[in-house]
Amino acid sequence: MSSDPSTTEQFESVTVSHDGYVGQITLDRPEAMNTFSTGLARDLDDALHALEADSEVRAIVIDGAGKTFSAGIDLSEHGDHETEAEYEEWVTVMEAPFQTVTEMGTPVIAAAHGHAAANGIGLVAACDLAVAAEGTQFGATAPKVGLFCMGPSVPLMKALSRKRCLELVLTGDLIDAETALEWGLINRVAPSGEHRAHALELAETIATKSPTAVQMGKKAVYEMFDREYDDALEYSNEQFGALCTTADAREGIDAFLSGDPLDADEWPGE
């Protein structure tokens, strides 16, 4: 991935662009409502890894082409498999981006519109932050076709209370953007058509901050989620001690104390 000020890379099922410090991934199967085919899932995972490896990228926005964010898994692939092992291998590919997002240091922001269903709602829940356009519908809809949103349940369990998560996955019902905001699934509701701009605004705000602090901090927070309270505090102290020795901390603190805080372009990134 080039680190030029503005570049674009085309995979088969996603489009990747890079403008300044913000990377953008667009799910690009509008004719299929951006459903997760095997190809899209792999392209999305590869695109996330590519942007994570780009030292110039400090935040990433994921949106969907056409009229919807993502309507879930491409069910036309169901008939391509027969055994439990084959289906397990298939769904493992589908859910890989959820894990990748949590392991990355770069913050990832979902920009949803239209529908975010099944794996679509899972991707929204897996992202660190999420913005949705007014009118967006969210649902764990798999029970309607004889399946269950087991994979999406994992990030949903982290994003929502147990009762809210179970309500979504057991009923398969849709909720609107305002309800998703109230439940904590998303961070902001944007006017229709402005979801991407609002997500980019969040990304650009993050990109002005210390890239070292943000990446180390995000990884630490995810590690601490599943630790006991005392253990999490001990781990946080270790990570904060390490962060204090970085060039970003030294130069950022010196600049702040001198009354001239660092701009986005001035961070050492080390």
Side-chain angles (χ1 to χ4, degrees), residues 12-13 26-35 40 64-69:
E12 183 176 347
S13 300
T26 299
L27 309 180
D28 198 12
R29 298 184 73 224
E31 74 288 350
M33 299 182 72
N34 297 320
T35 48
L40 183 142
K67 297 181 179 180
T68 199
F69 179 71

Side-chain angles (χ1 to χ4, degrees), residues 108-160:
V108 182
I109 304 167
H113 72 298
H115 284 81
N119 258 39
I121 195 175
L123 181 56
V124 170
C127 288
D128 305 304
L129 303 174
V131 175
E134 292 175 338
T136 305
Q137 298 286 301
F138 299 88
T141 52
K144 297 179 180 180
V145 298
L147 297 175
F148 197 85
C149 288
M150 295 179 185
S153 293
V154 177
L156 284 169
M157 286 188 290
K158 300 296 185 180
L160 305 175

Side-chain angles (χ1 to χ4, degrees), residues 45 48-49 95-104 126 154-155 222:
D45 203 52
L48 287 166
H49 283 290
E95 317 299 27
F98 299 170
Q99 184 67 27
T100 296
V101 168
T102 66
E103 293 175 347
M104 295 169 58
V154 177
Y222 275 93

Side-chain angles (χ1 to χ4, degrees), residues 243-264:
L243 180 58
C244 285
T245 67
T246 65
D248 271 24
R250 290 192 298 270
E251 296 191 25
I253 291 170
D254 287 346
F256 175 79
L257 293 175
S258 69
D260 188 21
L262 298 181
D263 292 328

Side-chain angles (χ1 to χ4, degrees), residues 21 52-58 106 206-216 242-243 245-253 262-270:
Y21 294 117
E52 173 76 347
D54 189 333
S55 61
E56 291 295 310
V57 174
R58 299 182 184 178
T106 308
I206 293 169
T208 65
K209 309 306 190 297
S210 159
T212 302
V214 167
Q215 294 208 6
M216 287 183 66
L243 180 58
T245 67
T246 65
D248 271 24
R250 290 192 298 270
E251 296 191 25
I253 291 170
L262 298 181
D263 292 328
D265 294 332
E266 296 177 315
W267 290 106
E270 300 174 357

